């Protein structure tokens, strides 16, 4: 079998890359092992313009957020699914200091941070003593709907192999790559944390980061916004279901859920909610994060037919469509990649002998 590109992984990165390559009329095959705990299957899908306690604007917010909104909207139309919706964040201040800090951001004219006029509006659902504010616009990418819908398209068109990719079976030649019975001009790894064990890319400064999540049922809470008080409470596509999370652990023994998180989060919900809830599931996953918090996009300096779209960290839902399009344009029209994302910045490290 001969294709232009072999793509490894159908998380949010592989989904968007295959989408844009298809738009360009390129032939490709995706190999994905359908792992149940990949980062994309655990993410809430939040596309948030600010980050951290100080509500600092995220990297490239003004370019990437509107891009993501249009991209998800468009793929949603094509697949006939709701792929994105706007759900602003109502942030309940956990302390008077946090309230002061939030109000300061408003005074500084942070364009995403706003006061909330009806301070008592959420009184029947939540206990909160120090008021609330609003972050907007915030979007939710419905990746729990999008990923299976795109997968289904790939399966129908016979463009997906559901199996484990084995790096030892990859043969790399100057003008093409061969994997089992597949020959392609290039192979592109969109395989999340698996790339940390990939001999071509294991020298990149990955910094995997574990996150845990509870899925809870709160039948009486209106699913019109995201709520935040330390943790985020994010409405899921299924009526009544909410995603609660998450933690950020740089050091961890394994990727399994912990009793500590479950107990702590359950107790936080008991203190915060005035209405009944029940825990439906407890999940955990590892984000393919990077030391300098920028994605890895582009081609290996020595093996120019081996590429990567990875390192999306905590922001895969916003970054993946934008950088998948850049990579597709780079492949099809030789357009340059954003230098902060292009793996050319690691040329020296990657030029060491592949082990
Ligand atoms: C708890 C948690 C909450 C998060 N919340 C958000 C959020 O709200 N917003 C946001 O933007 N981001 C969020 N993220 C981060 C987001 O999930 C990631 O940035 C993103 O999903 C990474 O996508 P990816 O496609 O690059 O990698 P992955 O999602 O890891 O996808 C890789 C794919 O490759 C497949 N694969 C791997 N190895 C192989 C192999 N050898 N053979 C075949 N297939 C293989 C896997 O099965 C998977 O399908 C969260 C992450 C976690 C853990």
């Amino acid at each position: 079998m001969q294709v232009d590109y072999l793509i490894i992984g159908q998380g949010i990165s592989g989904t968007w890359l295959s989408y844009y390559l298809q738009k360009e009329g390129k032939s490709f095959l995706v190999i994905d092992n359908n792992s149940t705990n990949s980062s994309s299957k655990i993410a809430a899908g939040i596309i948030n313009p600010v980050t951290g306690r100080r509500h600092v604007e995220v990297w490239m917010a003004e370019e990437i957020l509107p891009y993501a909104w249009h991209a998800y909207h468009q793929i949603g139309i094509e697949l006939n699914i709701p792929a994105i919706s706007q759900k602003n964040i109502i942030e309940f201040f956990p302390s008077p200091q946090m309230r002061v800090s939030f109000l300061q951001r408003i005074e500084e004219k942070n364009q995403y941070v706003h006061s909330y006029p009806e301070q008592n509006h959420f009184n029947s659902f939540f206990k909160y003593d120090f008021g609330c504010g609003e972050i907007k616009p915030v979007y939710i990418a419905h990746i729990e709907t999008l990923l299976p819908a795109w997968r289904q398209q790939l399966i129908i068109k016979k463009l997906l192999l559901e199996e484990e990719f084995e790096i030892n079976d990859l043969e790399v030649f100057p003008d093409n790559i061969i994997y089992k019975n597949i020959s392609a001009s290039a192979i592109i790894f969109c395989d999340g944390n698996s790339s940390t064990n990939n001999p071509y890319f294991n020298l990149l400064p990955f910094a995997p980061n574990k996150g845990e999540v509870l899925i809870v049922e709160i039948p009486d809470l209106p699913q019109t916004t995201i709520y935040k008080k330390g943790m985020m409470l994010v409405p899921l596509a299924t009526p009544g279901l909410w995603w609660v999370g998450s933690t950020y652990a740089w050091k961890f023994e394994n990727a399994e859920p912990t009793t500590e998180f479950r107990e702590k989060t359950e107790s936080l919900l008991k203190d915060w909610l005035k209405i009944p809830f029940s825990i439906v599931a407890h999940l955990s996953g590892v984000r393919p994060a990077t030391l300098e918090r920028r994605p890895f996009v582009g081609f290996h300096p020595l093996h120019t037919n081996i590429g990567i779209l990875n390192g999306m960290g905590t922001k895969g839902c916003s970054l993946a469509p934008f950088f998948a399009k850049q990579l597709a344009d780079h492949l099809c029209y030789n357009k340059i990649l954003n230098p902060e994302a292009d793996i050319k910045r690691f040329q020296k490290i990657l030029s060491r002998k592949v082990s």
Side-chain angles (χ1 to χ4, degrees):
M1 178 187 216
Q2 170 79 43
V3 288
D4 293 326
Y5 302 109
L6 181 60
I7 299 172
I8 311 304
Q10 194 243 326
I12 198 68
S13 300
T15 293
W16 279 110
L17 183 62
S18 51
Y19 172 79
Y20 285 121
L21 289 176
Q22 190 174 71
K23 285 245 171 281
E24 294 294 344
K26 298 292 177 189
S27 62
F28 60 83
L29 188 71
V30 179
I31 299 182
D32 185 276
N33 59 11
N34 207 11
S35 152
T36 48
N37 61 352
S38 74
S39 197
S40 299
K41 289 199 180 130
I42 288 162
I46 305 166
I47 298 180
N48 189 347
V50 294
T51 181
R53 285 172 157 247
R54 290 180 51 80
H55 302 94
V56 178
E57 195 172 309
V58 297
W59 179 56
M60 293 179 71
E62 287 190 30
E63 210 174 338
I64 282 177
L65 266 73
Y67 187 87
W69 168 259
H70 290 294
Y72 283 99
H73 191 66
Q74 183 58 33
I75 199 173
I77 292 172
E78 291 170 28
L79 295 174
N80 199 20
I81 53 159
I84 192 162
S85 44
Q86 182 172 346
K87 303 262 175 186
N88 300 332
I89 298 177
I90 298 295
E91 182 161 339
F92 300 105
F93 310 125
S95 67
Q97 292 84 341
M98 289 298 284
R99 179 188 170 83
V100 170
S101 155
F102 195 93
L103 296 178
Q104 245 167 13
R105 299 290 94 74
I106 297 174
E107 270 178 32
E108 289 162 10
K109 305 242 177 306
N110 178 321
Q111 59 170 315
Y112 303 111
V113 175
H114 304 267
S115 56
Y116 195 80
E118 296 169 69
Q119 287 289 302
N120 295 326
H121 187 77
F122 305 99
N123 261 336
S124 46
F125 305 112
F126 295 101
K127 292 172 223 162
Y128 55 106
D129 296 330
F130 309 110
C132 60
E134 187 173 27
I135 298 169
K136 70 176 176 190
V138 178
Y139 308 115
I140 300 182
H142 302 298
I143 51 176
E144 80 274 26
T145 312
L146 172 60
L147 263 51
W150 182 248
R151 192 177 191 89
Q152 196 50 33
Q153 290 277 313
L154 294 177
I155 290 170
I156 291 169
K157 293 177 182 163
K158 298 197 172 12
L159 300 176
L160 184 119
L161 280 186
E162 190 167 307
E163 63 180 44
E164 183 74 18
F165 171 81
E166 303 285 353
I167 193 91
N168 292 335
D169 292 334
L170 176 67
E171 296 174 89
V172 181
F173 302 100
D175 296 326
N176 70 329
I177 63 97
I178 306 256
Y179 181 72
K180 297 183 178 171
N181 63 342
I182 306 155
S183 167
S185 316
I187 181 168
I188 302 163
F189 288 93
C190 304
D191 56 350
N193 285 302
S194 293
S195 275
T196 59
N197 297 317
N198 179 321
Y200 297 97
F201 294 118
N202 60 6
L203 294 175
L204 288 173
F206 279 99
N209 178 287
K210 180 178 172 182
E212 292 190 54
V213 174
L214 290 185
I215 306 298
V216 298
E217 188 169 12
I218 318 176
D220 303 330
L221 190 58
Q223 291 190 299
T224 43
T225 58
I226 299 169
Y227 302 100
K228 182 180 177 195
K229 192 177 175 195
M231 291 272 168
M232 296 264 202
L233 199 47
V234 184
L236 291 174
T238 310
L241 280 195
W242 295 78
W243 180 105
V244 191
S246 172
T247 46
Y248 300 87
W250 301 101
K251 284 188 181 164
F252 50 91
E253 278 174 15
N254 56 50
E256 299 306 311
T258 64
T259 317
E260 189 195 350
F261 172 80
R262 187 188 170 111
E263 288 174 358
K264 209 172 140 192
T265 309
E266 189 172 6
S267 131
L268 184 143
L269 287 174
K270 278 182 184 156
D271 285 348
W272 184 18
L273 281 166
K274 287 182 175 171
I275 49 180
F277 72 91
S278 56
I279 297 174
V280 174
H282 178 186
L283 312 171
S284 70
V286 180
R287 303 172 181 92
T290 70
L291 267 189
E292 19 97 281
R293 292 162 204 239
R294 295 289 177 267
F296 296 148
V297 188
F299 283 83
H300 195 285
L302 302 182
H303 306 279
T304 51
N305 47 15
I306 304 186
I308 189 165
L309 179 66
N310 207 323
M312 298 291 158
T314 56
K315 304 200 166 46
C317 298
S318 42
L319 299 179
F322 186 88
F323 285 105
K325 175 77 167 98
Q326 276 209 355
L327 190 56
D329 284 351
H330 177 70
L331 283 166
C332 302
Y333 306 106
N334 214 11
K335 286 196 183 170
I336 58 160
L337 297 166
N338 179 319
E340 282 190 78
D342 192 341
I343 55 164
K344 252 193 195 153
R345 67 197 192 278
F346 300 112
Q347 181 144 5
K348 240 180 166 172
I349 296 175
L350 289 172
S351 299
R352 286 185 207 156
K353 195 174 175 298
V354 169
S355 56

